[in-house]
């Protein structure tokens, strides 16, 4: 190796270290924020409105969604008559405490080992409800299913208020049956409003 060549030096950044840290950290923080918003809102805005954390024993924080009839007499009556526990995939899930301030017209079931099941009453008409939408009848209540990655949201669409039940994929049919029976016995049946 010839001795007249200077040794190669390490490249030096022209940015000060604090500015360099911000330039590297900001895109990472933005990606995490976008992922968190995607998890909370889902693909259609109706998927998984719960914000479950890894600690299912804490009060459940629910994000507010547009629910103009959440404080209506229909929703108040329904929430008062819903079961205190539901059976989900063989497990009996009690009512779950909601973090304050909880949105009006909401309740949830779950425990430390299971993802929450969230019910919301008084929502706007779901965008997916069209004249050709596939509906499923459970205990004389017509439901529209909107599937997400980890959960499905079922909308009761033939009552005076729209009711949504969001359940994890592994919940089974028990919660939907329990809620359907209460809706059938509590809220008057009406036409399905397939036109906005």
């Amino acid at each position: 190796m010839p001795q007249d060549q200077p040794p190669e030096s390490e490249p030096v950044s022209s940015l000060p270290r604090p500015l360099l840290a911000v330039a590297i950290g900001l895109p990472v923080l933005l990606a995490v924020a976008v992922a968190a918003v995607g998890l909370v809102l889902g693909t259609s805005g109706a998927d998984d409105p719960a914000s479950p954390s890894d600690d299912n024993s804490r009060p459940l924080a629910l994000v507010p969604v547009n629910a103009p009839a959440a404080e209506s007499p229909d929703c108040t009556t329904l929430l008062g008559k819903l079961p205190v526990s539901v059976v989900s995939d063989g497990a009996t899930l009690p009512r779950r405490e909601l973090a304050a301030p909880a949105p009006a017209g909401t309740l949830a079931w779950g425990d430390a080992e299971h993802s929450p099941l969230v019910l919301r009453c008084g929502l706007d008409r779901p965008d997916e409800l069209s004249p050709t939408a596939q509906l499923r009848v459970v205990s004389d209540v017509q439901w529209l299913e909107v599937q997400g990655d980890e959960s499905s949201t079922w909308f009761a669409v033939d009552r005076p208020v729209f009711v949504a039940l969001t359940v994890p994929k592994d919940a089974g049919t028990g919660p939907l049956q329990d809620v359907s029976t209460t809706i059938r016995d509590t809220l008057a049946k009406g036409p399905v409003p397939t036109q906005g």
Side-chain angles (χ1 to χ4, degrees):
M1 174 176 204
Q3 299 210 345
D4 55 341
Q5 291 183 343
E8 289 186 23
S9 63
E10 291 185 26
V12 178
S13 172
S14 61
L15 293 174
R17 285 184 186 230
L19 187 57
L20 186 60
V22 169
I24 292 171
L26 193 57
V28 172
L29 184 60
L30 182 60
V32 169
V34 168
V37 168
L39 286 174
V40 169
L41 295 180
T43 56
S44 70
D47 187 30
D48 196 13
S51 300
S53 66
D54 291 336
D55 184 0
N56 285 336
S57 63
R58 292 186 182 174
L60 179 66
L62 297 178
V63 295
V65 298
N66 196 26
E71 297 183 83
S72 69
D74 286 323
C75 287
T76 302
T77 301
L78 177 64
L79 292 178
K81 298 207 178 220
L82 285 162
V84 294
S85 64
V86 294
V87 176
S88 175
D89 196 31
T92 300
L93 303 179
R95 288 255 183 112
R96 179 99 183 258
E97 181 183 357
L98 300 180
T106 59
L107 60 80
W109 296 270
D111 61 20
E113 287 82 40
H114 297 88
S115 296
L117 288 73
V118 177
L119 183 132
R120 292 178 183 265
C121 185
L123 300 172
D124 282 329
R125 183 181 149 290
D127 293 336
E128 294 85 355
L129 184 57
S130 69
T132 59
Q134 295 291 321
L135 301 180
R136 182 171 178 188
V137 178
V138 179
S139 297
D140 201 33
V141 176
Q142 293 191 63
W143 293 92
L144 170 68
E145 181 184 15
V146 178
Q147 294 187 6
D149 292 334
E150 301 295 324
S151 63
S152 290
T153 298
W154 294 83
F155 291 90
V157 296
D158 64 346
R159 304 296 148 157
V161 290
F162 289 104
V163 179
L165 178 65
T166 301
V167 296
K169 291 285 187 188
D170 62 355
T173 60
L176 189 61
Q177 291 171 347
D178 291 343
V179 170
S180 294
T181 301
T182 306
I183 290 173
R184 178 197 66 204
D185 296 344
T186 307
L187 301 176
K189 186 174 184 174
V192 177
T194 57
Q195 303 281 328

